[in-house]
Amino acid sequence: VTALVRDLQTGEPILAHRTSEAFRPASLVKIPTTGAFLALRGHDYRFHIPVMIRGQVDGETLHGDLVLKASADPSLGSHYIPNQKRLI
């Protein structure tokens, strides 16, 4: 486990635990990352995810695929984060 929490205003570390060690982030990393993102963008920010279908609809039944179109940038090089050093 590693953790680094910084003050968003000053950039100073509040908590640092094993921060110099390399690690592979687990899928749970998305929880604090999303929290930090929403702290910067505002609690009312809404993600837009297009929902599409591939197949035939018969009444209320889809015979095919429900497709959620999503994308990600694992480098955090996103235009949504104006100052990426505040997040990392």
Side-chain angles (χ1 to χ4, degrees), residues 23-34:
F23 72 101
R24 289 190 180 130
S27 64
L28 291 178
V29 169
K30 64 185 165 233
I31 296 170
T33 302
T34 301

Side-chain angles (χ1 to χ4, degrees), residues 9 19 22 25 31 44 50 56 62 69 73-74 81 83 85 88:
Q9 300 301 318
T19 57
I31 296 170
D44 58 347
Q56 299 293 321
L62 168 64
K69 185 177 180 183
D73 183 356
I81 304 171
N83 181 350
K85 289 182 181 180
I88 299 174

Side-chain angles (χ1 to χ4, degrees), residues 28-42 47 76 87:
L28 291 178
V29 169
K30 64 185 165 233
I31 296 170
T33 302
T34 301
F37 178 89
L38 291 174
L40 294 172
R41 297 292 294 176
F47 294 92
L76 297 178
L87 181 62

Side-chain angles (χ1 to χ4, degrees), residues 68-87:
L68 303 177
K69 185 177 180 183
S71 63
D73 183 356
S75 70
L76 297 178
S78 172
H79 65 280
Y80 291 110
I81 304 171
N83 181 350
Q84 294 168 16
K85 289 182 181 180
R86 291 179 62 193
L87 181 62

Side-chain angles (χ1 to χ4, degrees), residues 1 3 6-8 11 17 20 23 33 40 42-43 49 51-52 54-55 60 63 65 68-69 71 77 80-81 87:
V1 173
R6 292 186 185 268
D7 183 302
L8 289 176
H17 177 70
S20 61
F23 72 101
T33 302
L40 294 172
H43 72 278
I49 302 174
V51 178
M52 299 164 281
R54 184 173 39 217
E60 294 183 2
H63 300 279
D65 301 317
L68 303 177
K69 185 177 180 183
S71 63
Y80 291 110
I81 304 171
L87 181 62

